[in-house]
Amino acid sequence: MLFNILPDPQSLGAVQGEHAAPLVMLSWLVALAASYAGLDIIKLVSKGSHPAWRRAWLWSGASAMGLGVWSMHFIGMHAYRLGFPVSHAPVPTLLSILPAVLGSFGAMRVLSRDAPSHRALLSAGLVLGAGIGVMHYSGMAAMRAPAELYHALDLFLVSLLVALALGVLSVYAYRLCRHEWGVQRARTCAFIAALCMSIAVCGMHYVAMQAAWFLPLPGAAASHSLSPVSHWLIYLISGVAVLTTLLALIATRVQRRLQESERHEHMTHTRLLEVVSALQDSVILLDEQARIRLCNAAFERQVGLRSDQLMGLSVSQLAYAEDSHTLSQHIREALAEKGQWDGMITALRADGTGFPAWLSVSRVTYADSDDRDYVALLSDRSKEQQAQQRIGYLAYHDMLTELPNRRALQEHLAEFAQRPLSPGAHAFLALLDIDRFKMLNDSLGQDIGDELLRQLGRRLHQWSGAGLYVARLDGNEFALVGELDARDPDEGSEHAAQQHLNAIIASLTAGYELQGHTYPCQLNVGVLVFRPRENAPAAQLFKRASLALLEAKRQRDGEPQFFQQAQEDELEERLTLERELQYAIDNDELCLYLQPQVDAHQQVIGAEALVRWQHPERGMISPGRFIPVAEETGLILPLGNWVLKEGCRLLGEWRHQPDDHHLKLSLNVSVRQFQQPDFADQVLAAIQQHDAPPERLTLELTESLLLSDPDGTIDKMQQLQQKGVSFALDDFGTGYSSLAYLKLLPLDTLKIDIAFVRDLTLDMQATPIAATIVALAESLGLGVIAEGVETDDQRQVLANLGCRLYQGFLFGRPVPPEIFSKVIHEEQQK
């Protein structure tokens, strides 16, 4: 049928046919199925391992897709009903398949690439659309009917545009989905692209059929039904297209299974050998006669033989380990009993050198055979052993000096007690400490301090051996343990240790070169002489030597100090005192004693509160014993707080007693207590709790407080002074306070120290000092009180100097508050 294009075929009286809806739907489904089958094959094309297989699958997919597109066209042509009979020339109709196959081939070839360019994708879409268009119009040309065929120009162009545009859309839809979702969802991508392609084919076909107009020839017979042959062809072509699609899908599924199976079975014997050869450990496969069936490169290197030389060789012929014959016998027995054996051995290299290794031998059973093999794994543990040795070394040695550490010394002392020494043998433990080492670190840097420690460690190491054991404990502290020949438990052993240490200390204190300068190193040495056979715990030995070292640090004369039992007794006493003092504070074993303060007429104006400790077993304990302990241990804070509260309680009671309400009370405050940030709040809280008059409370401070924090001291004093609390400077004249600070302090009273008062009648220099203190107080507008007045002559001298307030044994000793109040009451009755 000739191909004619006219702008308006309808003007010639041409007619158009109608489409049967069921066949239209059938044609679209055929196009969809064929397109999906073809695009689904693309995944196989991209994964093909051989070019020939890739081309075969590519042509198969293109053929399936082309046949489906052609089938859709053929069914659509028979769905078109005209008023006259229509037939199709067989050869041109069949040849119209070729454009569809070629267009599909071009599109699939581009889509099978890993990363096609946009230009390639656009070309593939145009080729696919052109193939669809050429296929359609060549099929139209194969029509045979008693009519002339005309095409409307506008719809003809639209049909071509639809074919090209939807072809490009189909290509990009598949590529976009595959790029976003990956190869694992290729089927979904194929379905979406196939949907677009089926729409492209159907859209192009039915737009093109809408552009077709037929001008019947004169005498054309009318016919509105399909012939039986046409029905048969429709069903045949539809069946062939569907069958082809199913076969393509089945083939792709089978091929995918084959590929999966090929990947799983790709671990061939050769590859297994490659994996085994890549292992760093030796792997050997043995038969039941212990003959080598398989080994890797690591075992070849170990024994120095090639694989072909080892195959079939019995392991009993190889010297793979020390005493390999006996070892092999043990392994055979274990395999016969349990089927496996493992353990540490000393393996041998080809040159005969041994190395630690872990050998594991296991029986191998096969599911499809009764054969039994054995696999042996030999793992070199040289590095692990070296690492363990290094860890063990670090656990017992100091990193900086390479000397043994405290742990090693403790174990040495434990072993030392087990050595076969004579019953009267003695040994010594000396602890060495570098004097003023912190100053060296702070001034020259830690690197210089470390260098000094290293050099000292090297000198100590030269003395190790020959009955002398050296170690670094921590920081700048070192230790020496040595045996003594002398058997005298007292002076003889100490004298021998002294002589031994003098030579060592002389070598250790010689100058050290640090940064080009000679540094004179002085050591503090504490020594303990002991009997090793007494099995004293290492902790006790260290404690006693540390006490001797502490004494050496106090002396700081470079002479070794030997442990004395009195030092340990004193320490135990202090620890016991500390523990019992804490209990005393918590359980009200403390009490306040009051010493009267009098004026020039010897009238009691107040008292100083002095803390006392009435121990239930030891009796009265002097403040000179427990106050220093409290200062060192921090118990001075709860102790001072107790004194403050107890003093405020007394003032609160006196306030309601006619004989005592005028009395003032002085409380001593320690430097550490006063330095607490909330000290002022503590005082005010105690005053409020016991309803004590603050104007009757005097807090006695020491001059050392002025040196530690003068600004903070002034702030707290002013805060309390505003509430009425008075302040006295205790022991004035014995410290180093600045007169400038003294002028700024909100003081009320200066106290002349007992040291000056005691010597007023004996030392000619004491009187001028006391006179100076009195004059200074008057110039600053402060009161002055002298403490420690024991004789009337002392009082008279002080009175002549202008001092009008006194405190001391002359006027009364410290007594409990109830006795103090009784005395005041008796004086009031006189």
Side-chain angles (χ1 to χ4, degrees):
M1 183 172 288
L2 296 178
F3 190 79
N4 300 307
I5 297 178
L6 294 175
D8 187 14
Q10 190 175 2
S11 61
L12 300 177
V15 297
Q16 288 183 316
E18 298 177 353
H19 287 91
L23 294 180
V24 171
M25 180 60 65
L26 177 61
S27 67
W28 175 73
L29 292 176
V30 169
L32 177 62
S35 301
Y36 174 79
L39 293 175
D40 190 45
I41 295 176
I42 293 178
K43 183 179 179 182
L44 295 177
V45 176
S46 60
K47 285 191 172 183
S49 58
H50 195 275
W53 277 106
R54 289 198 297 269
R55 286 193 297 270
W57 280 110
L58 188 61
W59 279 112
S60 299
S63 300
M65 184 183 297
L67 177 61
V69 171
W70 180 84
S71 299
M72 175 270 155
H73 165 76
F74 187 82
I75 297 172
M77 292 293 294
H78 283 79
Y80 193 69
R81 309 294 175 82
L82 291 168
F84 43 81
V86 178
S87 62
H88 297 270
V91 175
T93 299
L94 292 175
L95 290 178
S96 65
I97 298 177
L98 294 178
V101 173
L102 294 176
S104 300
F105 179 83
M108 292 178 62
R109 184 177 182 182
V110 173
L111 292 176
S112 64
R113 299 175 186 174
D114 291 333
S117 62
H118 285 287
R119 182 177 180 180
L121 292 174
L122 181 61
S123 300
L126 294 176
V127 169
L128 178 62
I132 294 172
V134 173
M135 180 272 302
H136 174 80
Y137 285 107
S138 62
M140 290 286 291
M143 291 178 62
R144 298 292 182 263
E148 294 182 3
L149 175 62
Y150 295 90
H151 288 86
L153 178 61
D154 52 352
L155 291 178
F156 169 75
L157 296 177
V158 170
S159 68
L160 296 179
L161 180 62
V162 169
L164 296 175
L166 292 180
V168 173
L169 177 63
S170 302
V171 170
Y172 269 96
Y174 181 84
R175 188 61 195 172
L176 180 62
C177 294
R178 185 173 177 181
H179 176 73
E180 292 295 330
W181 295 338
V183 179
Q184 299 299 327
R185 302 180 67 177
R187 294 179 182 176
T188 304
C189 301
F191 178 79
I192 294 175
L195 185 63
C196 295
M197 186 173 294
S198 63
I199 295 174
V201 175
C202 292
M204 186 273 163
H205 176 84
Y206 290 108
V207 171
M209 293 305 296
Q210 192 67 27
W213 293 83
F214 296 89
L215 181 62
L217 296 177
S223 177
H224 294 282
S225 62
L226 290 175
S227 66
V229 176
S230 298
H231 279 288
W232 179 82
L233 286 175
I234 291 173
Y235 296 142
L236 176 62
I237 293 175
S238 300
V240 170
V242 172
L243 180 61
T244 304
T245 300
L246 291 176
L247 290 176
L249 292 175
I250 293 173
T252 55
R253 179 63 61 86
V254 172
Q255 183 62 22
R256 287 193 182 96
R257 292 291 180 89
L258 291 175
Q259 288 179 349
E260 292 293 332
S261 177
E262 181 181 356
R263 281 196 296 270
H264 287 299
E265 295 177 1
H266 200 57
M267 185 62 70
T268 60
H269 180 71
T270 303
R271 291 205 171 187
L272 178 61
L273 289 178
E274 292 175 354
V275 172
V276 173
S277 298
L279 296 176
Q280 297 298 318
D281 297 335
S282 297
V283 179
I284 313 101
L285 184 65
L286 307 169
D287 60 14
E288 288 191 285
Q289 285 73 40
R291 292 175 300 198
I292 298 175
R293 297 186 58 187
L294 174 67
C295 65
N296 65 348
F299 186 69
E300 295 176 20
R301 290 192 297 269
Q302 177 187 338
V303 298
L305 296 174
R306 299 190 309 274
S307 177
D308 56 349
Q309 296 173 313
L310 291 170
M311 290 302 102
L313 196 65
S314 176
V315 291
S316 61
Q317 300 175 261
L318 299 174
Y320 65 92
E322 290 184 355
D323 196 9
S324 57
H325 179 74
T326 304
L327 177 62
S328 298
Q329 182 64 31
H330 289 319
I331 294 175
R332 281 194 293 269
E333 294 174 358
L335 291 176
E337 181 180 352
K338 298 185 296 183
Q340 65 177 12
W341 183 92
D342 53 63
M344 288 293 298
I345 67 169
T346 301
L348 297 178
R349 297 187 177 92
D351 58 1
T353 59
F355 63 94
W358 179 265
L359 177 61
S360 175
V361 184
S362 302
R363 181 186 298 142
V364 181
T365 58
Y366 301 102
D368 56 350
S369 174
D370 293 333
D371 296 338
R372 292 192 302 179
D373 290 333
Y374 298 90
V375 61
L377 180 65
L378 186 68
S379 178
D380 187 353
R381 296 296 176 88
S382 300
K383 293 183 178 179
E384 288 86 345
Q385 188 182 69
Q386 293 173 0
Q388 291 176 357
Q389 291 174 350
R390 180 61 178 170
I391 292 173
Y393 179 84
L394 295 177
Y396 287 92
H397 288 78
D398 171 56
M399 286 290 295
L400 183 64
T401 62
E402 299 295 330
L403 292 176
N405 58 13
R406 181 184 293 272
R407 180 179 180 182
L409 179 59
Q410 290 174 338
E411 294 191 5
H412 175 77
L413 289 173
E415 296 172 358
F416 194 52
Q418 306 300 325
R419 295 176 60 179
L421 301 174
S422 59
H426 283 73
F428 70 89
L429 169 62
L431 301 183
L432 288 70
D433 177 274
I434 301 176
D435 191 38
R436 304 178 68 190
F437 180 74
K438 185 177 185 302
M439 181 177 293
L440 173 68
N441 262 348
D442 294 341
S443 59
L444 299 182
Q446 188 172 350
D447 292 342
I448 301 302
D450 290 346
E451 178 59 26
L452 175 60
L453 294 175
R454 278 191 290 267
Q455 294 187 28
L456 179 60
R458 286 194 290 268
R459 294 187 187 185
L460 275 172
H461 185 71
Q462 296 174 356
W463 288 94
S464 62
L468 188 66
Y469 190 87
V470 299
R472 182 193 178 197
L473 303 184
D474 50 40
N476 64 327
E477 188 172 328
F478 296 82
L480 299 93
V481 177
E483 301 177 25
L484 297 173
D485 295 331
R487 298 188 178 183
D488 186 7
D490 298 321
E491 297 182 358
S493 298
E494 290 190 3
H495 181 70
Q498 179 82 42
Q499 289 183 331
H500 202 94
L501 288 170
N502 284 340
I504 298 175
I505 294 173
S507 67
L508 298 179
T509 55
Y512 291 82
E513 292 296 326
L514 302 175
Q515 284 190 340
H517 300 284
T518 301
Y519 178 77
C521 178
Q522 180 173 322
L523 300 176
N524 303 313
V525 183
V527 187
L528 169 68
V529 176
F530 64 98
R531 293 184 179 181
R533 294 183 64 87
E534 293 180 353
N535 292 327
Q540 183 180 12
L541 299 179
F542 275 113
K543 183 185 72 171
R544 293 179 174 180
S546 298
L547 290 174
L549 178 61
L550 183 61
E551 182 62 26
K553 290 180 179 180
R554 291 172 182 162
Q555 299 294 335
R556 296 186 64 180
D557 57 1
E559 292 295 325
Q561 297 294 322
F562 287 83
F563 168 76
Q564 304 296 329
Q565 185 60 43
Q567 296 172 345
E568 187 173 30
D569 295 341
E570 181 183 356
L571 177 62
E572 293 295 336
E573 171 65 19
R574 292 181 68 85
L575 292 176
T576 301
L577 197 64
E578 176 186 350
R579 182 175 62 255
E580 293 181 346
L581 178 58
Q582 178 69 67
Y583 181 84
I585 296 173
D586 296 337
N587 294 274
D588 292 329
E589 289 186 1
L590 302 175
C591 59
L592 287 183
Y593 274 41
L594 305 180
Q595 186 175 29
Q597 296 175 339
V598 301
D599 58 12
H601 304 289
Q602 299 188 18
Q603 295 295 319
V604 178
I605 61 171
E608 179 182 359
L610 304 172
V611 64
R612 293 293 185 265
W613 182 6
Q614 183 66 39
H615 195 280
E617 297 178 359
R618 304 186 188 185
M620 186 66 70
I621 299 179
S622 169
R625 290 182 59 191
F626 67 84
I627 292 296
V629 174
E631 291 280 3
E632 293 177 7
T633 60
L635 290 175
I636 194 67
L637 294 178
L639 177 61
N641 191 40
W642 181 89
V643 171
L644 177 63
K645 292 181 177 180
E646 185 67 12
C648 291
R649 186 188 66 81
L650 286 176
L651 283 175
E653 292 181 356
W654 290 353
R655 183 173 191 172
H656 303 289
Q657 297 178 6
D659 296 335
D660 301 330
H661 72 277
H662 66 286
L663 298 177
K664 290 186 175 182
L665 184 64
S666 297
L667 303 178
N668 290 285
V669 178
S670 69
V671 174
R672 191 168 179 180
Q673 182 184 4
F674 193 89
Q675 288 176 340
Q676 296 301 303
D678 61 342
F679 173 74
D681 295 333
Q682 293 178 18
V683 175
L684 296 177
I687 291 174
Q688 183 178 7
Q689 178 183 359
H690 299 285
D691 193 24
E695 66 276 4
R696 301 295 177 185
L697 176 62
T698 300
L699 301 180
E700 296 190 3
L701 310 178
T702 59
E703 292 188 59
S704 58
L705 184 63
L706 305 181
L707 300 176
S708 59
D709 183 19
D711 295 334
T713 300
I714 293 174
D715 291 340
K716 293 174 185 176
M717 293 175 66
Q718 289 177 342
Q719 182 179 353
L720 292 173
Q721 200 173 52
Q722 291 175 358
K723 300 296 183 179
V725 179
S726 302
F727 289 93
L729 189 59
D730 195 12
D731 302 332
F732 182 74
T734 60
Y736 305 93
S737 60
S738 169
L739 293 179
Y741 280 126
L742 187 62
K743 182 179 178 181
L744 295 175
L745 287 176
L747 292 170
D748 299 281
T749 306
L750 295 182
K751 295 190 72 174
I752 303 176
D753 187 72
I754 189 174
F756 302 120
V757 175
R758 185 188 304 115
D759 298 335
L760 283 176
T761 59
L762 303 175
D763 187 358
M764 297 300 294
Q765 295 181 351
T767 302
I769 295 175
T772 302
I773 295 174
V774 173
L776 178 62
E778 291 179 353
S779 65
L780 295 175
L782 304 177
V784 61
I785 183 172
E787 61 179 350
V789 180
E790 299 180 358
T791 66
D792 192 65
D793 292 338
Q794 294 171 348
R795 184 199 63 79
Q796 187 63 43
V797 173
L798 290 168
N800 294 335
L801 295 176
C803 180
R804 300 291 181 266
L805 301 176
Y806 317 103
Q807 174 184 341
F809 289 167
L810 178 62
F811 312 103
R813 293 179 176 273
V815 293
E818 57 273 12
I819 298 178
F820 179 82
S821 297
K822 181 179 179 181
V823 171
I824 296 298
H825 179 70
E826 291 176 353
E827 290 185 356
Q828 293 291 338
Q829 297 298 324
K830 294 181 180 179

